[in-house]
């Protein structure tokens, strides 16, 4: 299958402007500039392209929310990518940066924005060199700056660095961070399309989402919808990590099953047996063997009470201790909670403490109930999704692997007995 | 002073943004690379350039994990031991690194060259074990590659007394003028 997103794997030196242009690069932008802004939005709407950062919101619809004739609007590319197990946008900005730039320029034209920022996580500073170099080429060639591609449209474009905060992948936190504030989400409304960066209408799109846009402009919405499923059209980059033979990024049509994904990654490492998958990094519930034939698509995992998310597939084999895995994940969320909402800040803190106690062999059966209670008191009570995400690896690991938890904790009677021993000893 | 040393670059950076406060993270990266960590004076300098209160810069330094408020070694080895990397031996790798450098996690070697830290996902999960050293990635590591890296960095430190991250950060700003 020829790649649509990871095209650099088929075409050598695609990161260079001349190579990209020889292969149809910036034809989508040229076409867009010959259309009205409304027509561009309609084409993207008709494609039913949905956000690739995980939430799956229709991209064209998002663009259409920007008020017409707003004097100042912004387009922000979300390359914050900090979800555990996610490394797809890194490959795009490193190896196929022009496709991201072209998609963002089309978005900027569509919503009448003269300024684009690519918010790249600070840790990707080295990878971002490639993106910056591509931008430099674009400025020289008149693709970015004043009168882009000979039109009367001006669009300036900069990279911007984060400094290590998972939460900045959440769009309102990203906007706050870019404005020079703490990266903490705000309660919507206002939605960024109405009040975003500097309180002006703002579009925030994931890097991979934008990389889909040039092809849609050139080849049309029907071409885009010819792969994937009806509700989840197009291709998706899936990041496969953990206990597989060949971890890495794999571009597949949406709707590919998790079993097929496992096979693509060379199957289980060292011939071990499969145990479980975290399908959307840490942010979605764990799935097990029974879900392997489900589709990797926006709703494919619904029957299994999980989500595709950003399609960061962390594979675990039979040797994995699921209490340990849950502890790793809650440690991540405790560290990354921005601290604004009390249920998330306190809940992740206490869940880590309790899980630690269980993992170290000092927990009791009541601690399992306590974990569930803390988690259930977080869901639906936080401004952003982090508070929800943080509960899912814990709750789903208890749901699927309760015996592993039980094997680590002592019963109330055992606990009482243990506590009574030293007292009895003292008595002697 | 940053303002004097990098006047052109800082002006170019500030010109990018409709509001100059947006330049704050970039300037904090620059200050940290120049001074090795974000001292109180460094944070004051950044605050003055951007036009915010120094306490605001301090709060950002605490919020974002790439900033150090205490002196660190010249090379900060940040190993990802998040779940995806840990499934491929990152925890054992951290133990090995700690033994080889003879420092605990969060410790700094006596010669001031290396600080060892563990960090959250860096986006190198398919090439674990991996680490970030002064914002550069080193991937598909094992014990011998780690030893080679340490030797390489020691040699670099001996040959070149100036840190190199500054040039990379300034490089971004300098490209736009």
């Amino acid at each position: 299958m020829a790649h649509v997103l990871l095209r650099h794997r088929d075409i050598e030196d695609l990161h260079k402007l001349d190579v990209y242009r020889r292969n149809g690069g910036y034809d989508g932008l040229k076409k867009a500039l010959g259309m009205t802004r409304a027509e561009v939005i309609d084409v993207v709407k008709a494609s039913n392209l949905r956000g690739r950062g995980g939430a799956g919101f229709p991209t064209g619809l998002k663009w259409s929310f920007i008020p017409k004739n707003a004097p100042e609007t912004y387009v922000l590319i979300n390359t914050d990518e900090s979800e555990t197990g996610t490394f797809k946008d890194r490959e795009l900005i490193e190896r196929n940066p022009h496709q991201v730039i072209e998609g963002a320029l089309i978005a900027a034209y569509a919503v009448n924005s003269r300024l684009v920022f690519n918010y790249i996580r600070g840790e990707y500073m080295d990878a971002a060199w490639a993106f910056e170099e591509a931008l430099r080429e674009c400025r020289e060639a008149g693709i970015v700056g004043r009168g882009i591609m000979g039109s009367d449209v001006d669009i300036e474009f900069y990279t911007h660095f984060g400094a290590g905060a998972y939460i900045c992948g959440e769009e309102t936190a990203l906007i706050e961070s870019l404005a020079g504030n703490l990266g903490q989400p705000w309660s919507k409304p206002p939605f960024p399309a109405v009040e975003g960066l500097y309180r002006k209408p703002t579009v925030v799109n994931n890097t991979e989402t934008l990389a889909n846009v040039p092809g849609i402009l050139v080849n049309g919405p029907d071409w885009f919808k010819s792969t994937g499923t009806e509700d989840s059209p197009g291709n998706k980059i899936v990041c496969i990590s953990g206990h597989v033979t060949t971890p890495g990024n794999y571009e597949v049509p949406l709707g590919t099953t998790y079993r097929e994904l496992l096979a693509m990654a060379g199957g289980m490492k060292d011939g071990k047996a499969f145990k479980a998958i975290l399908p959307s990094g840490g942010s979605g519930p764990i799935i097990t063997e029974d879900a392997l034939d489900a589709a990797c698509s926006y709703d494919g995992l619904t029957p299994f009470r999980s989500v595709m998310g950003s399609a960061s597939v962390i594979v675990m084999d039979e040797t994995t201790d699921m209490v340990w895995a849950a502890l790793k994940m809650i440690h991540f969320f405790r560290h990354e909670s921005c601290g604004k909402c009390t249920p998330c800040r306190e809940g992740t803190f206490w869940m880590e403490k309790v899980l630690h106690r269980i993992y170290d062999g000092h927990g009791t059966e009541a601690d399992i109930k306590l974990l569930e209670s803390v988690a259930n008191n977080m869901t639906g009570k936080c401004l952003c999704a982090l508070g929800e995400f943080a509960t899912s690896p814990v709750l789903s690991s208890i749901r699927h692997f309760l015996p592993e938890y039980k094997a680590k904790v002592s019963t109330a009677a055992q606990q009482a007995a243990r506590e009574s021993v030293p007292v009895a000893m003292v008595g002697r | 002073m940053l303002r004097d040393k990098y006047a052109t670059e800082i002006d170019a950076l500030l010109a990018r943004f409709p509001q100059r406060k947006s330049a704050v993270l970039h300037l904090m990266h620059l200050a940290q690379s120049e001074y090795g960590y974000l001292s109180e004076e460094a944070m004051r300098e950044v605050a003055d350039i951007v036009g915010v209160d120094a306490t605001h810069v301090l709060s950002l330094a605490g919020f974002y994990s790439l900033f150090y408020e205490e002196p660190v070694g010249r090379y900060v080895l940040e190993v990802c031991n998040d779940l995806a990397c840990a499934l491929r031996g990152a925890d054992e790798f951290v133990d090995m690194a700690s033994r080889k450098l003879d420092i605990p996690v969060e410790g700094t070697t006596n010669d001031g060259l290396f600080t060892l830290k563990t960090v959250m996902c860096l986006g190198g999960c398919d090439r674990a074990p991996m680490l970030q050293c002064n914002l550069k990635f080193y991937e598909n590591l094992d014990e011998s590659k780690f030893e080679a890296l340490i030797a390489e960095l020691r040699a670099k430190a001996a040959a070149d007394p100036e840190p190199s991250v500054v040039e990379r950060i300034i490089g971004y700003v300098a490209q736009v003028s």
Side-chain angles (χ1 to χ4, degrees):
Chain A
M1 184 193 78
H3 293 91
V4 175
L5 300 161
L6 303 175
R7 284 173 73 217
H8 53 275
R9 293 187 179 182
D10 307 325
I11 304 166
E12 205 182 337
D13 287 337
L14 191 65
H15 63 282
K16 293 180 180 159
L17 180 59
D18 59 331
V19 177
Y20 184 70
R21 292 202 80 166
R22 273 206 304 279
N23 288 279
Y26 292 102
D27 287 357
L29 176 62
K30 202 162 184 66
K31 198 164 173 187
L33 290 169
M35 298 158 67
T36 67
R37 300 180 195 281
E39 283 168 350
V40 174
I41 293 177
D42 284 344
V43 167
V44 177
K45 258 188 185 169
S47 76
N48 197 19
L49 168 65
R50 298 172 64 180
R52 300 303 199 226
F57 195 82
T59 307
L61 190 61
K62 196 182 233 187
W63 295 1
S64 73
F65 290 155
I66 299 288
K68 310 275 172 294
N69 308 318
E72 225 176 319
T73 63
Y74 302 108
V75 168
L76 311 181
I77 310 174
N78 185 346
T79 314
D80 190 56
E81 184 164 78
S82 305
E83 181 68 53
T84 301
T86 314
F87 41 88
K88 64 188 179 64
D89 298 338
R90 174 184 167 195
E91 180 167 349
L92 285 174
I93 62 163
E94 235 173 15
R95 310 283 308 281
N96 192 9
H98 283 292
Q99 198 163 321
V100 178
I101 295 173
E102 185 178 3
L105 289 171
I106 294 168
Y109 172 71
V111 302
N112 199 9
S113 169
R114 278 174 300 179
L115 189 52
V116 180
F117 287 106
N118 187 3
Y119 187 104
I120 302 177
R121 62 182 301 196
E123 293 87 343
Y124 284 180
M125 203 166 274
D126 244 21
W129 261 120
F131 191 84
E132 189 72 11
E133 174 59 20
L135 270 184
R136 192 193 57 75
E137 286 185 302
C138 286
R139 271 187 211 106
E140 263 179 32
I143 295 169
V144 161
R146 290 192 165 274
I148 65 169
M149 299 191 90
S151 69
D152 57 357
V153 177
D154 304 337
I155 303 176
E156 199 40 86
F157 202 135
Y158 298 114
T159 52
H160 188 83
F161 292 113
Y166 167 77
I167 190 62
C168 292
E170 197 281 338
E171 60 178 1
T172 62
L174 185 148
I175 289 168
E176 286 294 333
S177 178
L178 185 44
N181 299 322
L182 292 181
Q184 291 182 319
W186 72 66
S187 171
K188 295 184 266 193
F191 288 91
V194 180
E195 270 186 43
L197 183 63
Y198 312 130
R199 308 193 72 173
K200 301 288 193 299
T202 302
V203 164
V204 185
N205 280 143
N206 171 261
T207 315
E208 183 189 353
T209 308
L210 290 170
N212 277 289
V213 171
I216 292 171
L217 263 290
V218 172
N219 304 309
D222 289 336
W223 163 83
F224 182 74
K225 288 193 283 193
S226 67
T227 59
T229 70
E230 197 178 338
D231 287 334
S232 308
N235 282 359
K236 177 88 186 77
I237 306 174
V238 180
C239 315
I240 309 182
S241 65
H243 291 144
V244 290
T245 308
T246 49
N249 285 320
Y250 293 85
E251 179 179 332
V252 297
L254 280 162
T256 303
T257 68
Y258 286 90
R259 196 180 298 280
E260 287 166 331
L261 291 174
L262 270 184
M264 276 179 203
M268 299 302 294
K269 190 166 169 269
D270 303 330
K272 295 268 184 359
F274 170 86
K275 184 167 190 179
I277 285 177
L278 271 163
S280 47
S283 296
I286 291 165
I287 56 171
T288 50
E289 185 87 38
D290 60 330
L292 280 183
D293 292 312
C296 179
S297 67
Y298 289 103
D299 47 12
L301 285 177
T302 311
F304 301 93
R305 298 171 69 180
S306 191
V307 289
M308 171 182 79
S310 53
S312 313
V313 174
I314 305 175
V315 181
M316 291 170 275
D317 71 19
E318 56 187 329
T319 65
T320 314
D321 176 338
M322 297 311 287
V323 177
W324 169 83
L327 178 58
K328 277 276 178 196
M329 283 323 308
I330 201 66
H331 174 69
F332 173 87
F333 285 114
R334 195 269 302 152
H335 186 271
E336 299 300 338
S337 174
C338 81
K340 186 167 182 172
C341 306
T342 310
C344 174
R345 184 185 65 234
E346 297 299 313
T348 52
F349 175 85
W350 286 106
M351 279 205 289
E352 187 184 11
K353 286 231 168 222
V354 174
L355 259 172
H356 231 297
R357 183 158 72 204
I358 295 174
Y359 181 68
D360 288 344
H362 303 301
T364 66
E365 273 191 336
D367 283 333
I368 302 173
K369 291 270 168 269
L370 182 59
L371 277 178
E372 290 176 319
S373 159
V374 174
N376 291 331
N377 278 299
M378 286 166 67
T379 50
K381 296 177 182 68
C382 305
L383 285 182
C384 83
L386 194 148
E388 312 286 318
F389 293 161
T391 65
S392 60
V394 177
L395 288 178
S396 62
S397 68
I398 295 175
R399 191 162 71 233
H400 290 296
F401 300 101
L402 185 60
E404 290 193 32
Y405 278 84
K406 290 215 159 159
K408 282 195 164 54
V409 299
S410 46
T411 61
Q414 285 167 330
Q415 183 75 4
R418 198 162 65 194
E419 275 165 11
S420 71
V421 171
V423 179
M425 302 267 286
V426 170
R428 267 174 217 169
Chain B
M1 297 285 279
L2 296 172
R3 195 78 187 92
D4 306 322
K5 194 166 173 187
Y6 302 108
T8 326
E9 289 86 353
I10 290 175
D11 284 343
L13 176 65
L14 293 173
R16 286 182 178 194
F17 303 103
Q19 294 182 12
R20 60 200 285 143
K21 195 178 174 187
S22 285
V24 68
L25 290 186
H26 222 126
L27 288 166
M28 288 169 76
H29 278 301
L30 177 63
Q32 176 161 291
S33 313
E34 180 74 14
Y35 302 125
Y37 75 107
L38 289 175
S39 63
E40 206 181 305
E41 298 88 274
M43 288 193 264
R44 277 185 207 285
E45 255 192 86
V46 170
D48 284 345
I49 296 169
V50 187
V52 296
D53 208 273
T55 54
H56 180 67
V57 179
L58 179 66
S59 73
L60 296 177
F63 187 86
Y64 294 97
S65 57
L66 283 177
F67 296 130
Y68 317 125
E69 292 163 72
E70 300 291 331
V72 285
R74 174 157 169 190
Y75 299 105
V76 185
L77 304 165
E78 297 179 308
V79 185
C80 171
N81 69 340
D82 225 340
L83 179 62
C85 279
L87 292 171
R88 300 185 79 85
D91 284 329
E92 294 77 9
F93 183 85
V94 172
D95 291 343
M96 182 277 297
S98 170
R99 266 198 324 275
K100 294 272 169 200
L101 295 168
D102 196 22
I103 48 171
V105 174
E106 293 295 322
T108 299
T109 52
N110 286 333
D111 57 9
L113 274 187
F114 301 104
T115 297
L116 180 65
K117 286 175 180 280
T118 57
V119 294
M120 302 296 130
C121 187
L122 293 171
C125 328
D126 55 335
R127 303 168 200 178
M130 57 87 62
L131 63 83
Q132 161 185 259
C133 172
N134 297 14
L135 299 178
K136 209 171 162 48
F137 282 9
Y138 298 88
E139 303 178 304
N140 293 315
L141 295 174
D142 55 25
E143 186 168 340
S144 66
K145 282 182 191 163
F146 179 75
E147 282 177 336
L149 171 64
I150 295 301
E152 180 198 319
L153 293 175
R154 275 192 204 284
K156 231 163 108 181
D160 165 28
E162 286 298 310
S164 61
V165 187
V166 172
E167 283 106 69
R168 281 196 292 140
I169 290 172
I170 272 303
Y172 281 105
V173 187
Q175 287 207 15
V176 188
S177 52

